[in-house]
Structure formats: structure tokens, C-alpha cells
Amino acid sequence: MAEAGFSATLIAPAKLNLSLTVLGKRRDGLHDLVSLVAFADLHDVLSVTLSDTTTDQLTLAGPFAGSLDRDNLVLKAISTFRNAIGPIPPLSITLEKKIPVAAGLGGGSADAAAILRLLARQYGLAAMDPSVQAIAAGLGADIPVCLDSRCRYMRGTGTTLDPEESGFAYHPALLVNPGIAVPTGSVFSALAAEQKIVTAASGRHSLANGIVDGRNDLETPAIAVAPEIGPVLSALSDLPGALGARLSGSGATCFALFDSDMELDKAAEQFRQIYPAYWIHAGTLRNWDKDSLFPKIPMC
């Protein structure tokens, strides 16, 4: 690890589940699923330097900092990496939290993946190296797919990743959250209660079908837990130019995709007039390249 003068800025992009099929519950209590995942231009920012103390330090900032626990996945990722790979000096991290918390956007997973990318680089490892993926999988189901922030199908409990969808193009997207946190456990409990788990085989879908014609099996149980989601999905579906609307993960963030930036901008303005108090992000989905995830390179 670099010593005096070390600094790094890390980008942690938000994750969207463009589709999500729950295949069944395993004996260990987890669920097998298949999900097409993409990443937004919305992201958290982590600023990392060496700590002037003997322990890792985490400072929280940004519009959603107040919703976070200081003992979060970033610190757990550093500790786990030390135990699994090798020594890391104490770090000081400032996390600027721009991704809503408990929103189906994988913000905590993205932050943990970002710090793992940095630590892997210091040891000459690729972000998707099996040893780094193993650490990520042990920390959380969404972290492995967040390591390189590129569109792909994830399967099982999230640890089985298909090859990236290299043809994934720029997609204008409107993200909306009604300002409520939805616990994932509550949604899966509602799913089990409604017996909506499917047993269909997880065959590979075309990318276009996965985006436009896919489904999210957690949508109905999420609405049962947080009824505010239903009107948001209806309003998004009714926007001119919207290519349908869907819930991301277990929610409560919903999204609609559009063919053009012009249609997106008009739709965002119309939605703001309907729900002026809701959190809205009008942006794009993209495949992030490695250099974009490290806008400031670590320096010795």
C-alpha cells in the first residue's frame, strides 16, 4: 500500500435490477434468483487517505449521510480484505452519500465494492479476481456484481455472474423514490406469505427482452409492505415516451427507461409536478469503465 501522500477518490455507482425473477427458497433460507443488473450515472464518492490514528476512520457526508450507520460495509470490507489478502494500513474515508439508503439501488454494496477495488489494485489484483469476488460474496449478495459496475445477469444468491453485456448501450432513465426505506427482509417475507415464488428455469433472456419485457417478482410484495410504490409505478408508466416502469430490487426506488434525453427531460418535469416532494434522478444507465471508477489515481 502507498504510504506518505497516499490519496484516492473512488466512484460507487448505483445498481438497478432491470429484471428480477425469484426461482425458489434454498435450505439455508436464502433465495435463488436471476436478475439483469445495470448501473446508473448516480453514484456515491469515497475519498480515501491514510489515517492519522491506529484505526480506520469513516466520515459521512452528503444528502443521505444521516441514514447510515458508521459501522457499515465499507469498514467491514477493509477488515475482511486484511484478513483474507494482506496488511492494509489504517485508512481515513469520507463517504459522500448521494444514493438513497434501503432503496433497492445497492448503495451500501456499491460503497463496499469501491473500497475493495482500491485495495485489490494495491495488491495488483483485478477487481473481478476470484479472491476479491470471494470476499465480496461473503459481505453481501449485491457486492460481487458491483465490483466492475457493468451490465450482466447475476444468478443464485447473487454470486454467480454471467459475462458482461458488452453491447449494453446508453439508456436514459428516470429514477424515483417516494422517500421511504423498505427492508429487504420484509419484502421477502411478504413474497413467501403470498406464495409467489416461481419454479421456472432461469434461461438466458435477450438483453432487449430483459430490459423492456422483464419483470420483478418482488414488486407485488414490496407494494404490500410500502403501498406508496404502486402509484409511483402507475405514474411512471403513464409518462409520454416511457418504455414501461419497474421496481428496482426490493424497492422503494422505481424507474422508467426512455429512448431519448428529450423524452426523459420532459417526463422528469411532468413527474416533478405530480410528486414534487419525491426524490428524482433523471440520468443514464451505462457500463462504467475502469478508469472512470478511479477519477483520482492513488499517489505515493
Side-chain angles (χ1 to χ4, degrees):
M1 174 68 95
E3 295 298 335
F6 171 85
S7 65
T9 300
L10 313 176
I11 298 300
K15 170 227 65 169
L16 266 76
N17 297 92
L18 298 179
S19 65
L20 193 157
T21 302
V22 180
L23 301 174
K25 191 172 183 178
R26 297 152 42 114
R27 291 183 178 179
D28 60 7
L30 301 176
H31 289 81
D32 282 321
L33 55 84
V34 56
S35 179
L36 177 61
V37 176
F39 292 85
D41 57 354
L42 169 71
H43 58 81
D44 292 341
V45 180
L46 292 82
S47 301
V48 185
T49 61
L50 294 181
S51 175
D52 56 6
T53 72
T54 59
T55 60
D56 298 317
Q57 302 293 316
L58 178 64
T59 301
L60 303 176
F64 295 101
S67 303
L68 288 178
D69 187 336
R70 288 180 179 275
D71 183 24
N72 72 1
L73 278 173
V74 171
L75 297 179
K76 291 177 182 177
I78 298 170
S79 175
T80 305
F81 189 95
R82 283 194 184 103
N83 293 333
I85 304 296
I88 298 292
L91 299 177
S92 177
I93 304 107
T94 297
L95 170 57
E96 185 178 1
K97 195 67 185 169
K98 300 180 180 180
I99 302 173
V101 177
L105 295 175
S109 297
D111 298 336
I115 201 72
L116 288 177
R117 281 194 296 269
L118 173 65
L119 301 184
R121 175 176 283 199
Q122 299 308 310
Y123 271 87
L125 299 173
M128 300 301 284
D129 185 274
S131 62
V132 182
Q133 288 192 54
I135 294 171
L139 291 168
D142 282 340
I143 301 177
V145 78
C146 290
L147 283 171
D148 68 351
S149 300
R150 298 178 73 82
C151 180
R152 68 178 76 235
Y153 281 94
M154 67 179 189
R155 302 177 186 274
T157 59
T159 58
T160 300
L161 304 179
D162 283 7
E164 70 173 76
E165 296 284 353
S166 57
F168 184 78
Y170 163 104
H171 287 279
L174 179 61
L175 281 56
V176 175
N177 189 289
I180 53 175
V182 181
T184 300
S186 298
V187 174
F188 273 100
S189 295
L191 175 72
E194 295 182 12
Q195 298 182 336
K196 292 292 181 67
I197 296 175
V198 301
T199 57
S202 57
R204 184 179 180 87
H205 305 285
S206 73
L207 183 58
N209 287 342
I211 294 175
V212 178
D213 299 328
R215 68 176 193 260
N216 182 348
D217 287 343
L218 298 182
E219 214 166 83
T220 298
I223 292 171
V225 173
E228 298 92 334
I229 293 171
V232 172
L233 288 170
S234 295
L236 284 172
S237 296
D238 291 340
L239 291 172
L243 303 175
R246 195 165 301 141
L247 183 72
S248 178
S250 57
T253 302
C254 306
F255 66 91
L257 301 182
F258 297 83
D259 280 327
S260 70
D261 290 333
M262 182 178 297
E263 288 177 326
L264 170 65
D265 292 341
K266 289 180 179 178
E269 182 57 33
Q270 181 173 329
F271 196 93
R272 287 189 183 99
Q273 293 174 7
I274 302 171
Y275 293 108
Y278 285 3
W279 175 86
I280 293 175
H281 176 77
T284 62
L285 305 184
R286 55 179 287 192
N287 268 347
W288 285 77
D289 61 69
K290 295 177 183 178
D291 290 340
S292 296
L293 296 171
F294 288 98
K296 184 176 181 180
I297 302 299
M299 299 177 295
C300 295

